[in-house]
Amino acid sequence: MLSQQELKQRVAAAAVEYVLPFMGADVVLGVGTGSTADLFIDALALHRQRFKGAAASSERSAARLAAHGIKVYDLNEVQGMPVYVDGADEMDAGLNMIKGGGGALTREKIVASVAERFVCIADESKLVERLGAFPLPIEVIPMARASVARRLELMGGRPQLRSGFVTDNGCQILDVAGLRIDVPASMEAEINNIPGVVTCGLFAIAGANVALLATQQGVRELRRPS
C-alpha cells in the first residue's frame, strides 16, 4: 500500500504531465502552497526551460521555485495564466474546497483568480462527503479578530486564533471548527462580508475546475459539475 507521501508524489508528477501542453516560451504558471504543491514544484523544475516562469501564492513557494531556477513573477506583472495548480485541505464531489491550512489562503485565491483554470492536486484522504471536518481558516485584520470571532460563534462556529502565526499579508488566522457547511458558496459569501475578514478558506464561489486525486489504484481526474 502506498503511503500518503507516495500518493502526494504520484499526483504531483501527474499534475506536471497535465500542465505540459500549456507550456510555452511566454507562459507563466500559477503555483500554490503546501506540502503537495512543494512536490509539484520539485517535479516542475525538470521542465523549467519550457515555460517563462511562475506566480506564487506565498513567500514559501516563491523561495522554492527560485531555488530551482524558475523565475518568479509578481502577479502585477502577469496578464493571465493558463493554469493554477494547488492542493486542498478538504474537497467535496463538486470540487468545492477548504484551503488555508498553511495560511496562504488569500494569496491562493488571488493567484487562482487570474488563471483560466484551477487544478487541485490531492490524495484521496482529502475527498469528503461534506466540508467542515477540517477547521475553516479565516484571515482577519488583527484589530477585528474579536468582533469577527463573535460573529462566527453566532453562526455555530468555534473560532480559535492560530497562535504565533502571521500571514504573508501581516494578518492573523482564525481556525473555525463546528461550522455546518451545507451550501459552501453561500457560506463563503456570508463570511467574506463580515467586516474585518480578508477572506475565508472556502473556495466554492470559484472552486477547482479539475481535480487530480491520487488513490491506491492510480490518479483519478475529476471535473467540476457544469
Side-chain angles (χ1 to χ4, degrees):
M1 179 175 288
L2 296 173
S3 67
Q4 187 178 45
Q5 182 67 13
E6 289 170 328
L7 290 172
K8 289 181 178 182
Q9 290 172 331
R10 180 169 287 189
V11 79
V16 171
E17 292 300 316
Y18 183 93
V19 303
L20 283 177
F22 300 105
M23 289 185 178
D26 297 322
V27 170
V28 175
L29 300 174
V31 179
T33 301
S35 58
T36 310
D38 284 346
L39 294 171
F40 171 70
I41 292 169
D42 295 344
L44 186 65
L46 298 174
H47 305 277
R48 60 183 174 272
Q49 303 301 328
R50 299 180 61 175
F51 61 103
K52 185 178 181 181
S57 67
S58 68
E59 299 298 329
R60 164 182 165 172
S61 290
R64 197 176 189 98
L65 286 159
H68 279 298
I70 298 171
K71 184 172 177 59
V72 179
Y73 287 87
D74 184 295
L75 192 64
N76 292 305
E77 303 175 287
V78 179
Q79 296 295 317
M81 299 178 295
V83 63
Y84 174 71
V85 178
D86 201 359
D89 297 303
E90 278 189 346
M91 177 176 62
D92 66 17
L95 304 196
N96 306 298
M97 298 169 290
I98 286 180
K99 293 173 50 55
L105 57 160
T106 299
R107 295 194 183 192
E108 289 170 345
K109 204 168 274 193
I110 293 169
V111 179
S113 74
V114 178
E116 294 174 18
R117 58 189 60 77
F118 184 155
V119 178
C120 178
I121 55 174
D123 66 86
E124 59 188 343
S125 69
K126 302 299 192 299
L127 186 64
V128 298
E129 185 173 337
R130 186 174 71 189
L131 301 176
F134 189 92
L136 178 65
I138 300 175
E139 184 166 356
V140 296
I141 294 172
M143 70 170 289
R145 180 186 67 241
S147 62
V148 171
R150 289 193 292 272
R151 292 282 293 273
L152 294 166
E153 287 170 352
L154 291 174
M155 294 173 64
R158 300 188 301 276
Q160 182 173 346
L161 177 67
R162 193 175 297 184
S163 180
F165 182 84
V166 177
T167 72
D168 287 344
N169 308 311
C171 295
Q172 296 175 315
I173 298 284
L174 292 173
D175 292 304
V176 188
L179 290 172
R180 183 179 178 87
I181 307 175
D182 292 319
V183 185
S186 295
M187 180 166 284
E188 179 181 357
E190 182 180 0
I191 294 173
N192 283 346
N193 282 330
I194 298 173
V197 169
V198 180
T199 198
C200 76
L202 278 167
F203 284 60
I205 295 172
N209 302 104
V210 175
L212 300 178
L213 194 71
T215 75
Q216 294 294 332
Q217 291 73 41
V219 176
R220 296 170 55 200
E221 182 175 321
L222 308 177
R223 293 191 174 271
R224 189 173 179 85
S226 55

